[in-house]
Amino acid sequence: MSHDLLSVGDLGADGIDEVLQLTDSFVEVSERAIPKVPALRGKTVAWLFYEDSTRTRLSFETAARRLSADVMNFSVASSSVKKGESLRDTVQTIEAMGVDAIVVRHRSAGAPWQVAKWADASVVNAGDGWHEHPTQALLDCYTIRQHLGSCEGRHVAIVGDVKHSRVARSDVLAFTAMGAEVTIVGPPTLLPPSLEGWPVAVSHDLDSVLPKVDIVYLLRMQRERMASGLIPSLREYTARYGLTRRRVDRLGEDALVMHPGPMNRGVEIAADVADLPRSVIVDQVRNGVAVRMAVLYLLLGAGSDKVLTGVEGAS
Amino acid sequence: MSGFVIRGGTVVDATGTRRGDVAVDDDGTIAAVGEGLEGGDVVDASGCVVAPGLVDLHAHLREPGREEAETVETGSRAAALGGFTAVVAMPNTSPAIDCASVVREVLDLGRSAPCDVHSSGAITVGRAGEQLTPMAEMAELGVRLFTDDGDGVQDAGLMRRALEYASGLPVPVTLAQHCEVAALAAGGHMHEGEWSSRLGIPGQPAESEELMVARDIVLSRLTGMRVHFQHLSTGVSVDLVREAKRRGLAVTAEATTHHFTLTDAEVASYDPLYKVNPPLRPDADVAAVRAGLADGAVDAIATDHAPHTQEAKEQAFDEAPPGMLGLETALALALTELDLPIEQVLALLSWQPAAIAGLSDQHGGPVAVGRPANLCVVDPTETWTVEPTASASRSRNNPYAGRTLTGRVRHTFLFGEPVVLEGDAQR
């Protein structure tokens, strides 16, 4: 892996594969009675979160702690940013404290690229606006590999609000890099204005897509979309694009149901569908920790050219 | 006659091109034009084009209110270095230029500037799009161009009344429009299309500009008033204006240097340096803007010089303000990027915008005896590399850093005063 993880597309098939293979070992670590290794002892990982995030932050934090890294939290309340220092000044402040990696979540697309420009530390994109969420895509690939052997030749339907989804953008890049076929499904108002250059098929008819896919990947449907007139109502959205029990019957026998969380039960996914054995949503969360351990390890661990900022303990 | 002689150049103005020296009198007017002129000091112009000074219809000088980004003085110096002898300052200052007192302040600041500073006036109070400004009292102070630039006048009824009201003023004025339908553009930080979709940056569609261009063309027909379209950036906008002109409507248009030079692909860097409004567009639009400049659909090249501090541009892309510098690079970009003869480039940068701004009595030539010596001397073959830190502007948001351009301003004369000599500002 190179110095930063900004776009999952930068990894390519080989890079993704490297992460997935290493994830196997960290899944094993996570299953131990004491799920902790000293691999990153003496390294410091900082969270720079410009947007509320509980799940991703906890997952990264757990990953870092299981690798024995020190963690530092720099959460910027969404309201106080504009009157405060520039992004560059914030980055330099964090760097001055001596960190090896900065995990960035920002509500603006591209912010991690700017952070990487100004920081010497490794930068991990933990979600930037509508743009990308690389570690989510990696854990999705891992989960598919875990259940179906590999992504190669699989057909994934990504359903819902693709336009505003960083998960969808990263998943499209990762799934197609790994040899999967992707169909995005949703009302035209929730698809990107242009799909020029996207290696995907497009459908507005979920029912006709379901029998053909190995994975149905549901995106979170946010209530704001209704207020801004992109859909008439959640009820109509659910009627056309919700994964109801009836629709599950159209899926192939081994087809998986995935969701990046948090779910709106009863909107994009029916409550009972979320709990079916074919739904691997909890596995996604579990694998998230191991995948993020792999990413941090590849960026900061053995083979990294980073200078230690602290005293390296004996492992 | 004492004064000085600009010797050895080729004079280019609206009347044509000819070899000639230009003698400038002590009173700042042109005393003689012709070959082999003698007398006074000599300013070398060999190998250069001597032309009427350039006129920018669209500069943000930021004063009053945002002096940390630019002042009338620093912006004017950048203008003079770029060969401009007149600029029209946009009204989106703080407070907005929407009444006589603010116009007076800007004009006062401009009195000692190395460039002739003209103030625009807002169409609506506070540029809020609700109530007409006192256009007559501003026109009395010399304002000839009214615009809410930074925003378009959203209410078609209000825009109609603005045009009708302006038609009754004692002096001819022009209403200029920043074309952007807010309902379509809202929340968009770049051109909506292939790149915005890929980059995950909210976009604004070309149609948000085009819809207002179309609206104001029909309002021009309705009211019989001239409308000037600012910073056109899309192919359809250019087509609409071309067609309106074909039908004999009194419309004019400008395009900026960046809209014929840069595309939205630059935004892939996520560098807010490339954030501007209207946004950078795809290749096809860039080509259409160039074609419009070539065939006369677009009358003027404007800079939309929009300084911003380093801090402001070191935010995330969607949080940074739009705008880029342009005064010092405009002529060179036009000469380098546009496949047009220098005569046509100068028409687009000097006498045509001078006419739109109502400044033809003093700016834009012709280079003739008795006219004010507002002149620029350009070496059309000199190449130079853009170095943002060398700018006279207070700001550094220059998207052309490191570019090599052909064509450089050697001297600029403002009412006979050499304000730039050999590329150096004299004050």
Side-chain angles (χ1 to χ4, degrees), chain A residues 53 60 81 95 126 133 136 174 189 236 264 267 284 294:
Chain A
S53 162
F60 265 110
V81 180
E95 284 250 302
H133 194 352
Q136 178 73 44
T189 47
E236 176 146 319
N264 288 312
V267 181
Q284 288 174 270

Side-chain angles (χ1 to χ4, degrees), chain A residues 186-267:
Chain A
T189 47
L190 294 180
L191 300 183
S194 164
L195 288 165
E196 187 84 31
W198 291 47
V200 299
V202 183
S203 170
H204 308 304
D205 179 12
L206 182 59
D207 287 325
S208 70
V209 171
L210 289 174
K212 297 182 267 187
V213 300
D214 302 293
I215 298 113
V216 53
Y217 196 106
L218 304 163
L219 299 171
R220 176 175 165 77
M221 184 61 216
Q222 292 180 318
R223 283 169 197 281
E224 303 96 86
R225 307 302 171 220
M226 195 168 57
S228 49
L230 293 169
I231 52 165
S233 68
L234 289 180
R235 187 165 169 273
E236 176 146 319
Y237 178 82
T238 304
R240 301 256 305 138
Y241 299 102
L243 190 63
T244 57
R245 195 56 219 246
R246 182 184 58 79
R247 287 203 170 103
V248 168
D249 293 338
R250 303 179 69 88
L251 284 168
E253 201 178 327
D254 298 324
L256 304 177
V257 174
M258 298 177 73
H259 192 297
M263 286 184 283
N264 288 312
R265 286 183 191 247
V267 181

Side-chain angles (χ1 to χ4, degrees), chain A residues 36 40-47 60-61 63-73 98-101 296 300 309-311:
Chain A
K36 193 159 178 161
L40 296 187
R41 185 181 289 174
K43 303 278 186 178
T44 302
V45 179
W47 323 122
F60 265 110
E61 197 163 333
R65 288 185 194 284
R66 285 184 182 172
L67 292 166
S68 305
D70 294 320
V71 299
M72 190 196 281
N73 224 312
V99 298
D100 300 283
L296 290 173
L300 300 180
T309 54
V311 180

